[in-house]
């Protein structure tokens, strides 16, 4: 595992991750309803929600409608600036893992790009995912033409795992357990 992931300065509560500049917290039912209704609370960046955030809000609404399948400390989170509390994007672990692997996705609104928020949020989410005993690999798929997203994944400490020439999978693995003394 890359040292940039293992040296993450994120702290964790059941529903919230904190980094130096960001809080990654669960969506509230009201925030989901606001996105779906086109309402804009004052604590959102002027260009939030982006298209991907609207998709995630729809997914969460369906999960709520389907009943108590709460992903707990995993799942969908908003990216919030700690200084001021402005919502600037979202990210998700696509829970549950499959054969030890869990995919994630992320997005930061254009007005907040270039500040290093995306790699900071991704590092925290990946480090958190790797604390689950169910997870041995965390990965994201990216279009190779999306150079900014490729840079985000590389800055976050993930490495290219495979590519078909159009898209690539970037991943990181759980650290191997230290051998037990005999």
């Amino acid at each position: 595992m890359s040292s940039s992931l293992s040296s993450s300065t994120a702290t964790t509560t059941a529903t919230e991750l904190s980094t130096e500049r960001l809080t990654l917290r669960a969506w509230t039912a009201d925030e989901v309803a606001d996105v779906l209704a086109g309402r804009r609370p004052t604590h959102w960046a002027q260009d939030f929600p982006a298209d991907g955030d609207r998709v995630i809000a729809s997914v969460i609404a369906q999960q709520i409608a389907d009943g108590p399948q709460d992903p707990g400390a995993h799942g969908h989170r908003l990216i919030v600036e700690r200084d001021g509390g402005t919502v600037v994007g979202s990210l998700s672990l696509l829970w549950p893992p499959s054969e030890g692997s869990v995919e994630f996705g992320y997005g930061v609104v254009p007005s907040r790009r270039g500040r290093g928020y995306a790699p900071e949020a991704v590092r925290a989410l990946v480090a958190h995912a790797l604390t689950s005993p169910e997870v041995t690999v965390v990965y994201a798929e990216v279009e190779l033409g999306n150079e900014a997203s490729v840079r985000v994944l590389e800055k976050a400490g993930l490495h290219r795992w495979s590519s078909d020439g159009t898209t690539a999978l970037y991943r990181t693995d759980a650290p191997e357990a230290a051998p037990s003394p005999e």
Side-chain angles (χ1 to χ4, degrees):
M1 182 168 92
S2 168
S3 61
S4 65
L5 288 176
S6 61
S7 65
S8 175
T9 58
T11 57
T12 305
T13 65
T15 60
E16 193 172 279
L17 301 173
S18 292
T19 69
E20 181 181 340
R21 301 177 299 157
L22 304 171
T23 299
L24 312 177
R25 64 166 177 77
W27 291 67
T28 66
D30 287 344
E31 288 165 329
V32 171
D34 285 343
V35 168
L36 297 177
R39 293 186 296 264
R40 300 207 20 80
T42 58
H43 67 283
W44 290 358
Q46 74 271 13
D47 47 354
F48 183 86
D51 290 341
D53 304 310
R54 288 181 191 88
V55 170
I56 294 302
S58 294
V59 168
I60 296 169
Q62 186 61 53
Q63 288 172 334
I64 291 168
D66 288 346
Q69 296 181 13
D70 181 6
H74 308 289
H76 312 290
R77 299 171 187 275
L78 291 172
I79 302 171
V80 182
E81 292 173 326
R82 288 181 66 178
D83 183 22
T86 303
V87 175
V88 300
S90 65
L91 69 172
S92 298
L93 286 171
L94 304 179
W95 208 259
S98 174
E99 298 179 14
S101 296
V102 67
E103 184 176 5
F104 71 94
Y106 60 92
V108 172
V109 294
S111 67
R112 296 308 203 275
R113 291 181 186 157
R115 299 179 186 197
Y117 286 172
E120 185 174 329
V122 166
R123 277 191 297 273
L125 186 70
V126 167
H128 174 68
L130 290 172
T131 66
S132 171
E134 299 173 75
V135 176
T136 56
V137 174
V138 182
Y139 71 95
E141 183 175 356
V142 63
E143 292 181 11
L144 292 173
N146 186 345
E147 295 176 16
S149 198
V150 168
R151 283 192 306 277
V152 164
L153 295 172
E154 290 171 346
K155 286 179 182 179
L158 284 83
H159 62 275
R160 189 180 296 195
W161 177 27
S162 65
S163 174
D164 66 7
T166 304
T167 61
L169 292 178
Y170 278 76
R171 73 181 263 180
T172 193
D173 301 331
E176 297 206 18
S180 301
E182 295 187 43

